Amino acid sequence: MTFALRNGRVLDPSQDLDEIADVIVRDGRIEAITPVGAHPSDHEESAEGLLITPGLIDIHVHLREPGFEYKEDIETGTAAAAAGGFTAVCCMPNTNPAIDSVSVVRHIIERAEAVGVARVYPIASLTRAMEGGQLAEIADMQAAGACAVSDDAFPVQNAETMRRGMEYCAQLGLTVMTHNEDQSLTKDGAMNEGRTATLMGLPGIPAIAEDIGAARNIIFARLTGCRLHLLHISTSGTALHLQRAKADGVPVTGETAPHYLVLDETACEGYNTNAKMNPPLRREADRTALIGALQDHTIDALATDHAPHAVYEKEREFDRAPFGILGLETAFAVGYTHLVQAGHIGLNDLIRLMSCAPASILGLPGGTLKPGAPADISVFDLTECWTVRPELFRSKSRNTPFAGWDLSGRCRYTLVGGRRIDV
Amino acid sequence: MDSLLGLRQTSAADIRRILSTAISMRDVLERSVKKVPTLRGRAVVTLFYEASTRTRTSFELAAKYMSADAVNISVAQSSVTKGESLTDTIRTLEAVTADCVIIRHPSAGAAHLAASCTPVPIINAGDGRHEHPTQGLLDALTIRDVWRPDATDWDLSGLIVTIVGDVAHSRVARSNAWGLTKLGATVRWCGPRTLIPAGADGLPITVYDRLSDALDGAHVVMALRLQTERQERGLLPSLREYSRCWGITASSLRSAHPDALVLHPGPMNRGVEISPEVADGRAGHRSGIGEQVRNGVAVRMACLYLLIKPTAEGETL
Amino acid sequence: MPSEAAKGLRVRSGGRKRRIYVAYARERPKRAYSAVDTSEAARFPLYGATVQRRQVMDSDEMRRALVRIAHEIVERNHGAERLALIGILTRGAPLAKRLAVMVEQIEGIRPPVGILDVALYRDDFPTRRPDVRPSTLPGDLTGLDIVLVDEVLYTGRTVRAAIDAIMDLGRPASIQLAVLLDRGHREVPIRADFVGKNVPTARSERVYALLEELDGQDAVVIDREPQGALSPEAQEDPS
């Protein structure tokens, strides 16, 4: 059984490919990329005028299942992913119970196979119940299918714990993904420390809290040889630490999220809880520095930190509202409109940052259209202009700062292992 | 004006209108019968999520002098986390036809949140460290009475107002920064760096490191209340040292204008941020602390008058 | 449209019943008085409609009416010893001052004059609160015969508010009311003790008492709502 996507613009940064061609799929894998019409197929679909890329991969997503299904679950979370052009997501362990045992890892993988419309790779908790104390059974979880280890949402404060965790993961060859924050500096903080927070009377989260956390974790990566991935970089300081560490040969990578590249702290004005996340939106100078870090390849990947929260949780006092915003359904269009069309990066850069690079950071299948790779493919219409209407989201939640934005570029459908997922 | 959420958003024209109205309200307060029927049949709710006898009493008296029915809802701190959400509470008050809700809340922006979910006028009586607009207004009124008693245009230009102390956690400092500068005054902030907020340059003020520089030529000196928990959070070593370095005393006032007016939003820690003789006006300068309280009622009457819309139909001459 | 309106402008000369047609602006400025011009047609080009204006009192008539009122006040109160004149802001205030001078010319005693702002006592403003201005009253009112002075008596609500305000401020021996013009349409049971002139009006009409102190001239004019689409009520009105 072969299937052909014909006559589309095939863009695959993993093989420096950007041409009008056919993509031939056989038995869930990429068979070949051929000149238009060169290869017969059992079924075919015209992709004329559309963009064909390796399926997008988001290595930083909160699917909320198990425990917080009122915010999101694996079914709606993967539907949101598919709508945004993602064929695979890595889900963070801050569920209830946390992903700190084999049974939760298996549960997520089984649920995703049953109801998911994108691949789901669970990320294991570094410590039990994410409490920052005793290490979780990381090796067992790795064997059960966990793709990485993270302390996201509950950054490990104790340096000894962090050191031992990274030593342990280094031996297992697992990447540790860290939320970088020295919480002794961020107590009660609600938004970036600075002018806007002072105007609004909100307690601040200083940028240096992230920089110090990142610097510490880089030092441990240097010490232990453990692969380190810096989650949601929001400050120029952390980007600088990352750049120096890479130059020194430390095994470290880093990601940022679209909102840090297009918004700054002033988006919180009016006590807009849909612009509240941790790390917070920073100064304009940080925003431009992060774009620079994308351009010089200091930052390796884009991830969304998709963090659904119910409307009633966000419709409250700013300092009491939870951190986090949605990202899956807007990430590509925000990136295309405000990074590519704005001239900051090329389209191939955007696809690399959202597909090839995330796959290689965690060693995931996909992220390429090379023959033999899984047929995880995204098909976009770059000409489609649309307005972000949260009430139409596939996600259960509505907490986006992009409501009402006019964006260009939209996913038409994806293929996951050759199976077509319609948006 | 639909609500009074902060002086940052309030135009200079509206500030002047409230203050002019407050002057007329003071006439009412001077009568033997301190009551006008203006808000008869209207319900004013004070919704306080923080303990505050002074501000709440001031608003309640203001409402009662205007013949409104004043209802007080005090929400105990401990039940906030478990209890009804603020937006639900506000909608409930709207449903029971409150005509104005006065809210005090420990979270910055709580008044904005309240105003966003109801057409009922909201008066911010203090939200976290954000703003306390009626305090800023009454301070402007007090300052004008002393320094510009004939200024019907509320022009305070040329006056230097120095605010000393814990400005980082002070909504009064922020409201005064906006209110007084919109009337033309110059506002200085001074205090230990641990109590000066990052990004203070976003406000229309100048930060001074040395108290004597900040007080130099100041027409008005405002001491802020120092919360004792600041010491516990490691923001200052001791109250004794704070008092010695930053306390407003007869000697520190020497660099200020000889007729300087000393204000304090209260309640005072005598002997910490302000020395007892300065607090009681026994240090040879002017103390406006008593006037502040009286002006507070007048300003709040003015706000209620201007914010609670009349109901009668048809304009007649 | 402005040019059409200009054609509609005409002045019918001939004594007091001079009629002036001016274009009518729906959004009348709050303090339109000083903009009112009785001698020359002013033009508001907004709608091209016209408003009919007639003058019902000129400065001589106003002076004579006030002199008469002053005499009546003195007569009614058997002198001026215990009299106080209180003008209701805005236009009652200069009238009260004028009456006090006239009373002095008659009796040799100038009664104290007060100014009363009734904004806090009014019940008849639909949307925006009127500015509150300070009242100045001649000391203790107890035992005095108070004459409230206003320019136009209409629904009576302002006077009702003024009486309430006076009662809150003291206990006068009596309260009387003097008005330059009574235009009818009372909504509360209030009657003026001293009236300069009774003028029947339609509710749709607007009465302006212009005073030298505030407007640069003394006159009373009545504007009639435009004929045509803007005000059906005005069409039915026979005056």
Side-chain angles (χ1 to χ4, degrees):
Chain A
M1 275 274 285
T2 53
F3 172 76
L5 274 173
R6 297 210 186 273
N7 203 19
R9 175 182 172 189
V10 181
L11 193 155
D12 180 6
S14 74
Q15 42 189 329
D16 282 331
L17 189 69
D18 185 359
E19 62 190 36
I20 305 295
D22 291 351
V23 178
I24 312 298
V25 174
R26 178 196 288 274
D27 299 331
R29 295 199 166 267
I30 307 279
E31 172 90 356
I33 294 171
T34 66
V36 177
H39 199 295
S41 64
D42 300 330
H43 302 283
E44 64 177 47
E45 170 92 24
S46 169
E48 188 175 354
L50 301 178
L51 177 74
I52 300 170
T53 72
L56 304 187
I57 298 172
D58 190 344
I59 57 175
H60 188 169
V61 167
H62 299 269
L63 289 180
R64 304 298 190 205
E65 184 178 348
F68 304 102
E69 287 86 352
Y70 66 96
K71 299 173 194 256
E72 194 81 286
D73 60 28
I74 288 170
E75 185 175 354
T76 59
T78 57
F86 292 93
T87 55
V89 296
C90 301
C91 60
M92 283 294 171
N94 58 331
T95 47
N96 186 21
I99 309 178
D100 66 349
S101 68
V102 167
S103 62
V104 182
V105 171
R106 284 200 184 124
H107 169 80
I108 288 169
I109 291 172
E110 282 162 17
R111 284 286 296 160
E113 279 170 2
V115 301
V117 291
R119 298 181 197 272
V120 176
Y121 301 106
I123 299 168
S125 167
L126 184 68
T127 57
R128 288 196 180 176
M130 305 200 76
E131 284 172 348
Q134 204 176 350
L135 292 182
E137 292 175 340
I138 297 168
D140 280 359
M141 288 192 280
Q142 182 186 26
C147 68
V149 171
S150 181
D151 64 352
D152 189 36
F154 302 97
V156 171
Q157 295 299 294
N158 184 297
E160 168 76 6
T161 305
M162 198 68 206
R163 175 187 172 179
R164 299 305 174 202
M166 289 182 71
E167 281 175 342
Y168 199 79
C169 290
Q171 193 173 18
L172 297 172
L174 273 173
T175 300
V176 173
M177 309 166 84
T178 56
H179 172 122
N180 308 293
E181 178 180 347
D182 183 330
Q183 289 181 318
S184 67
L185 288 165
T186 61
K187 188 173 181 295
D188 302 330
M191 65 174 290
N192 185 45
E193 178 181 283
R195 215 178 260 189
T196 307
T198 294
L199 287 178
M200 293 171 65
L202 286 167
I205 299 174
I208 52 151
E210 180 177 333
D211 302 348
I212 290 171
R216 183 199 72 169
N217 294 335
I218 286 169
I219 289 169
F220 286 135
R222 194 195 304 264
L223 175 77
T224 62
C226 179
R227 280 207 309 273
L228 172 68
H229 177 71
L230 303 178
L231 295 168
H232 45 38
I233 296 169
S234 71
T235 69
S236 59
T238 298
L240 195 61
H241 284 305
L242 175 60
Q243 187 180 43
R244 287 179 184 155
K246 283 181 163 183
D248 291 351
V250 180
V252 57
T253 52
E255 70 178 38
T256 188
H259 42 271
Y260 300 117
L261 300 167
V262 301
L263 298 172
D264 65 23
E265 58 187 1
T266 59
C268 298
E269 282 270 17
Y271 301 94
N272 177 13
T273 55
N274 285 333
K276 178 181 179 181
M277 74 289 290
N278 190 15
L281 296 172
R282 304 289 188 182
R283 298 169 308 153
E284 174 65 13
D286 288 300
R287 189 185 75 83
T288 50
L290 291 179
I291 290 175
L294 280 188
Q295 290 165 335
D296 70 10
H297 294 220
T298 297
I299 291 177
D300 302 89
L302 283 177
T304 68
D305 192 7
H306 181 82
H309 291 292
V311 169
Y312 71 86
E313 294 176 301
K314 279 291 196 179
E315 189 189 61
R316 61 170 313 168
E317 300 88 334
F318 192 93
D319 56 354
R320 294 178 185 180
F323 291 106
I325 61 163
L326 300 181
L328 286 169
E329 294 179 69
T330 51
F332 176 80
V334 166
Y336 180 65
T337 310
H338 291 280
L339 298 175
V340 177
Q341 288 189 327
H344 297 307
I345 58 174
L347 181 59
N348 63 322
D349 294 319
L350 183 67
I351 301 303
R352 173 177 53 78
L353 289 161
M354 297 182 77
S355 176
C356 320
S360 81
I361 287 169
L362 295 186
L364 302 173
T368 178
L369 298 178
K370 284 179 182 162
D376 292 0
I377 299 170
S378 301
V379 181
F380 295 97
D381 183 350
L382 293 180
T383 64
E384 181 173 343
C385 298
W386 58 291
T387 303
V388 179
R389 292 175 61 192
E391 67 274 17
L392 300 181
F393 279 172
R394 271 67 167 180
S395 169
K396 281 185 184 175
S397 293
R398 303 287 175 257
N399 49 313
T400 175
F402 301 116
W405 283 39
D406 292 318
L407 299 175
S408 301
R410 199 162 199 189
C411 178
R412 281 288 183 82
Y413 52 91
T414 61
L415 300 184
V416 177
R419 171 184 157 215
R420 177 166 164 157
I421 310 294
D422 280 303
V423 172
Chain B
M1 271 205 311
D2 299 320
S3 284
L4 182 66
L5 304 179
L7 296 186
R8 181 183 170 202
Q9 292 89 355
T10 307
S11 69
D14 279 341
I15 289 173
R16 286 192 287 264
R17 184 156 195 246
I18 295 169
L19 292 173
S20 297
T21 307
I23 294 224
S24 301
M25 294 301 177
R26 268 203 314 224
D27 290 353
V28 174
L29 294 178
E30 279 159 12
R31 297 181 188 172
S32 52
V33 180
K34 291 192 281 286
K35 200 163 187 109
V36 288
T38 320
L39 298 179
R40 196 170 47 203
R42 316 304 287 279
V44 172
V45 177
T46 55
L47 178 61
F48 273 54
Y49 290 85
E50 272 183 350
S52 159
T53 315
R54 300 157 57 94
T55 306
R56 204 193 66 220
T57 307
S58 179
F59 271 109
E60 281 183 4
L61 284 175
K64 285 174 175 167
Y65 293 157
M66 307 281 289
S67 298
D69 296 309
V71 180
N72 168 45
I73 301 175
S74 287
V75 186
Q77 267 292 83
S78 55
S79 70
V80 167
T81 45
K82 290 177 191 168
E84 187 177 46
S85 76
L86 174 62
T87 50
D88 283 346
T89 303
I90 295 292
R91 288 182 190 119
T92 304
L93 292 176
E94 180 189 337
V96 299
T97 68
D99 292 292
C100 183
V101 176
I102 294 147
I103 180 170
R104 154 87 46 114
H105 197 288
S107 293
H112 284 74
L113 178 67
S116 72
C117 68
T118 179
V120 176
I122 303 288
I123 297 178
N124 182 3
D127 61 332
R129 55 180 85 166
H130 174 228
E131 281 225 43
H132 188 359
T134 55
Q135 178 74 41
L137 291 166
L138 73 89
D139 287 336
L141 179 54
T142 309
I143 291 166
R144 176 265 195 188
D145 283 345
V146 169
W147 283 105
R148 298 281 162 83
D150 303 319
T152 50
D153 58 355
W154 295 95
D155 184 2
L156 302 183
S157 54
L159 293 183
I160 297 167
V161 180
T162 302
I163 303 176
V164 182
D166 183 9
V167 291
H169 300 89
S170 175
R171 50 197 173 211
V172 175
R174 284 172 177 75
S175 285
N176 268 300
W178 293 114
L180 295 174
T181 54
K182 284 183 182 186
L183 298 175
T186 301
V187 176
R188 299 170 176 172
W189 279 2
C190 186
R193 287 214 184 159
T194 50
L195 298 177
I196 302 285
D201 58 339
L203 282 120
I205 52 105
T206 312
V207 175
Y208 283 73
D209 263 349
R210 292 166 55 93
L211 185 61
S212 56
D213 292 346
L215 292 180
D216 185 30
H219 300 86
V220 179
V221 179
M222 184 181 301
L224 297 175
R225 177 178 173 78
L226 186 77
Q227 309 278 356
T228 47
E229 64 256 31
R230 305 296 170 231
Q231 186 184 346
E232 289 145 27
R233 282 210 55 182
L235 295 171
L236 38 100
S238 71
L239 297 182
R240 195 199 58 77
E241 181 165 303
Y242 178 87
S243 176
R244 188 184 67 74
C245 297
W246 307 100
I248 300 302
T249 63
S251 92
S252 65
L253 279 174
R254 256 179 237 130
S255 54
H257 191 286
D259 295 323
L261 169 70
V262 175
L263 300 178
H264 191 297
M268 287 184 278
N269 298 311
R270 280 188 170 76
V272 181
E273 70 268 6
I274 189 165
S275 71
E277 63 273 18
V278 172
D280 299 332
R282 290 183 278 110
H285 61 281
R286 293 186 278 189
S287 169
I289 295 166
E291 280 306 292
Q292 283 176 287
V293 178
R294 189 173 69 108
N295 286 337
V297 178
V299 158
R300 284 155 190 145
M301 288 171 77
C303 292
L304 291 173
Y305 174 75
L306 293 170
L307 284 173
I308 299 179
K309 296 290 182 281
T311 51
E313 288 180 9
E315 184 179 6
T316 53
L317 286 169
Chain C
M1 288 308 286
S3 60
E4 289 296 313
K7 280 180 213 160
L9 291 168
R10 58 200 172 93
V11 176
R12 202 182 284 169
S13 60
R16 293 163 46 197
K17 288 280 178 185
R18 187 170 53 166
R19 280 168 186 249
I20 303 163
Y21 295 82
V22 295
Y24 178 68
R26 184 189 283 273
E27 293 298 329
R28 200 180 290 275
K30 266 268 184 264
R31 303 212 182 280
Y33 286 26
S34 52
V36 171
D37 191 335
T38 57
S39 60
E40 190 183 331
R43 188 155 58 85
F44 300 87
L46 262 186
Y47 291 90
T50 59
V51 62
Q52 198 180 35
R53 168 166 298 164
R54 60 196 162 105
Q55 183 173 327
V56 295
M57 201 180 252
D58 63 18
S59 63
D60 284 343
E61 288 167 319
M62 190 183 290
R63 181 179 47 77
R64 284 182 214 117
L66 289 172
V67 168
R68 177 172 52 76
I69 289 173
H71 278 283
E72 287 174 5
I73 289 172
V74 171
E75 194 178 354
R76 165 85 73 93
N77 293 286
H78 310 292
E81 278 85 13
R82 283 148 44 85
L83 206 55
L85 303 182
I86 295 183
I88 299 172
L89 281 173
T90 308
R91 282 178 166 63
L95 287 178
K97 283 176 192 150
R98 288 196 209 177
L99 284 171
V101 172
M102 293 171 180
V103 168
E104 185 182 19
Q105 286 164 357
I106 299 163
E107 280 293 299
I109 299 170
R110 183 183 295 209
V113 173
I115 293 169
L116 185 64
D117 180 76
V118 298
L120 295 174
Y121 290 83
R122 297 192 69 150
D123 62 354
D124 54 351
F125 279 88
T127 51
R128 186 177 187 271
R129 293 285 185 188
D131 288 337
V132 187
R133 289 160 290 179
S135 299
T136 53
L137 293 166
D140 187 8
L141 303 179
T142 306
L144 294 179
D145 292 310
I146 303 289
V147 179
L148 289 172
V149 183
D150 205 357
E151 90 277 34
V152 177
L153 179 58
Y154 182 25
T155 62
R157 289 180 186 272
T158 306
V159 176
R160 196 277 308 159
I163 293 171
D164 284 352
I166 294 289
M167 298 301 243
D168 275 1
L169 293 166
R171 193 181 181 288
S174 68
I175 302 177
Q176 299 154 39
L177 174 63
V179 297
L180 187 59
L181 203 85
D182 184 346
R183 62 170 292 196
H185 304 291
R186 214 76 75 239
E187 293 172 1
V188 287
I190 277 172
R191 174 186 58 77
D193 301 272
F194 315 103
V195 179
K197 184 171 188 171
N198 284 291
V199 179
T201 60
R203 278 184 181 274
S204 59
E205 289 175 319
R206 287 166 182 266
V207 179
Y208 299 104
L210 309 183
L211 299 178
E212 181 75 40
E213 295 90 330
L214 300 169
D215 312 303
Q217 62 175 324
D218 281 343
V220 178
V221 298
I222 298 180
D223 277 359
R224 192 171 154 191
E225 297 282 314
Q227 302 290 335
L230 283 181
S231 170
E233 202 184 348
Q235 289 180 333
E236 290 157 20
D237 184 66
S239 67

